[in-house]
Amino acid sequence: MVVLLSALASLLLATDAVARPSTLGRDPRVKRGIRAPVHRYVPSNNIVSRDTGAVYHIWNGGGWILPVLIGGQQVYLNIDTGSSDLWTASTLMPEDQQKTVTRGSVYDPSNSSTSHEVEGYTYGLAYADGSGASGPVYRDTVNIGGAIVPNFAVGVCDDLQYGPGSDGTRDTAGPVGLGFGVMNSVRPNPQCTFMECLEPYVPEPIFGTAFKLNNTGYINFGYADPAAYTGSITETPVANTSSGNEGQWVNLGVRFGSGGSVFDVDPLDMDFDTGTASLSVSTDIAAAYWDLVGGADDSSGAWEYPCGTELPDLDFVFSNVTSGPSTVTIPGQNLKNGDASSGMCSTWMNVVDGRGNAGVPFYISKYIIWNQAKPTMSFADQVN
């Protein structure tokens, strides 16, 4: 999920003695990759397609989550490459706020022998959907499936807000932010992200994601798994330092097409944010794609198509490929949000102004290698 930050760039680059966790208790010479299982949270009152993994009747579609141990206490957090904080709902929040976390428990810093508050440090986030979270910063041991960072800076929420249109609940206690540290919200000095702090303990400064059609999957910390993908792999640079894209996994100037033909429309800068469900593109890109589908219509304010139609594949055409083919294709069925036999069905393609987002339709097709050192993203077809 994209974070809206108002701090000056000079603040974002500041460092001090607490900017990196202590390695006490861990030997950074012993490096190994970690594979942590994940699954997609789907509210029980929704229907999941066995063919596409689409979640019908809601627009957020759930998200991929995993159990995280903070000071030995298990909380459920979502994987979010669009933000750079690891924060959690906690017992510091009022009780009525604690009850809005619908899955698992909240973190109790007083119940951890390895927890201590960092005096004078706070975090605060405002998300694009109007929600937000803020509170003090504690250091504690964080363990994600065996990927362990001691003395990690955790945002401990004491005030949780919900945006307009929200039902006032959360599926998880918070996010594992896997953007770049320049976006971290801790003040007075930002902190390294979980993946950045994990670097001393893993073979490579990368992570790999495989989100599956059946709403399971995994994340590889510190290595890419060649058994997870098949065929050619495309590597593209990340524009995480360009103006307006600081700290994000963004690829500039992506064009779109279908069946090997490129649409005659302007390219779009694309955000690869795992905290967002829908594929978001410009009005012109959406119109060019749905012009290929007989009976497709946007008169209701969003694109719909006649149910039962076989949708054409969608090509992402990258303008600045480092290696591999420039065209990466996702199946048209990934865009379906409904599988009725008659009537009009909705889709997982949204229209936006400004930067687009790859969304779930892309992620469930590809094994993605996120390299924060180069930085690059690499895409290949998943082995399912």
Side-chain angles (χ1 to χ4, degrees):
M1 182 178 289
V2 176
V3 181
L4 308 178
L5 300 177
S6 59
L8 297 174
S10 58
L11 255 183
L12 290 172
L13 297 173
T15 58
D16 72 355
V18 299
R20 228 172 159 82
S22 165
T23 58
L24 184 64
R26 293 292 309 277
D27 185 350
R29 295 171 298 176
V30 179
K31 298 186 177 186
R32 63 187 181 96
I34 303 294
R35 173 169 163 168
V38 301
H39 70 277
R40 189 177 178 194
Y41 172 73
V42 179
S44 60
N45 62 338
N46 290 280
I47 301 170
V48 181
S49 167
R50 293 182 181 273
D51 295 325
T52 68
V55 181
Y56 308 138
H57 309 312
I58 59 172
W59 285 101
N60 64 17
W64 271 271
I65 67 175
L66 70 177
V68 177
L69 295 176
I70 306 178
Q73 301 173 47
Q74 180 173 285
V75 295
Y76 286 94
L77 304 181
N78 61 287
I79 299 171
D80 187 10
T81 58
S83 66
S84 299
D85 288 66
L86 190 157
W87 64 264
T88 178
S90 79
T91 55
L92 303 185
M93 299 178 346
E95 285 191 17
D96 59 338
Q97 290 187 9
Q98 294 180 42
K99 292 177 181 178
T100 66
V101 178
T102 60
R103 183 175 181 83
S105 303
V106 301
Y107 171 64
D108 182 355
S110 69
N111 197 31
S112 169
S113 62
T114 51
S115 170
H116 64 275
E117 185 173 1
V118 185
E119 186 176 353
Y121 275 68
T122 60
Y123 85 102
L125 295 164
Y127 292 101
D129 64 358
S131 63
S134 59
V137 174
Y138 281 70
R139 288 204 174 277
D140 208 338
T141 299
V142 174
N143 181 342
I144 302 180
I148 302 171
V149 177
N151 210 30
F152 181 77
V154 178
V156 180
C157 185
D158 65 8
D159 186 25
L160 185 62
Q161 304 94 41
Y162 292 97
S166 167
D167 65 0
T169 64
R170 282 190 58 88
D171 300 337
T172 65
V176 179
L178 293 174
F180 294 86
V182 68
M183 233 179 9
N184 182 264
S185 79
V186 172
R187 297 295 180 268
N189 295 318
Q191 306 294 291
C192 52
T193 68
F194 179 79
M195 187 61 220
E196 289 170 344
C197 289
L198 186 65
E199 284 186 23
Y201 312 117
V202 293
E204 297 182 79
I206 65 177
F207 60 99
T209 54
F211 300 145
K212 300 292 187 177
L213 285 173
N214 64 359
N215 297 313
T216 64
Y218 51 87
I219 181 168
N220 300 127
F221 288 112
Y223 73 108
D225 182 2
Y229 61 89
T230 184
S232 58
I233 188 163
T234 294
E235 183 183 68
T236 65
V238 173
N240 69 317
T241 59
S242 61
S243 178
N245 300 314
E246 295 88 346
Q248 300 280 343
W249 295 94
V250 173
N251 193 277
L252 302 180
V254 180
R255 304 191 75 94
F256 288 82
S258 184
S261 297
V262 179
F263 300 147
D264 186 19
V265 298
D266 290 339
L268 186 64
D269 297 345
M270 292 296 292
D271 191 359
F272 289 78
D273 175 3
T274 60
T276 300
S278 294
L279 167 66
S280 301
V281 296
S282 68
T283 300
D284 290 344
I285 292 169
Y289 176 80
W290 293 108
D291 189 53
L292 303 175
V293 181
D297 180 77
D298 68 343
S299 60
S300 66
W303 281 99
E304 297 178 316
Y305 67 96
C307 296
T309 302
E310 183 177 347
L311 298 183
D313 295 344
L314 180 65
D315 297 335
F316 289 63
V317 184
F318 295 95
S319 61
N320 49 0
V321 170
T322 306
S323 63
S326 60
T327 298
V328 176
T329 301
I330 66 170
Q333 70 172 6
N334 289 10
L335 297 173
K336 291 184 176 183
N337 186 11
D339 56 3
S341 58
S342 62
M344 297 294 284
C345 284
S346 57
T347 83
W348 285 100
M349 181 185 288
N350 282 355
V351 172
V352 294
D353 294 325
R355 197 166 64 192
N357 198 295
V360 169
F362 190 94
Y363 305 135
I364 59 177
S365 292
K366 304 301 173 185
Y367 182 72
I368 306 179
I369 302 167
W370 314 71
N371 188 319
Q372 59 188 31
K374 286 187 177 181
T376 60
M377 288 177 290
S378 299
F379 316 114
D381 289 335
Q382 287 187 28
V383 173
N384 287 314

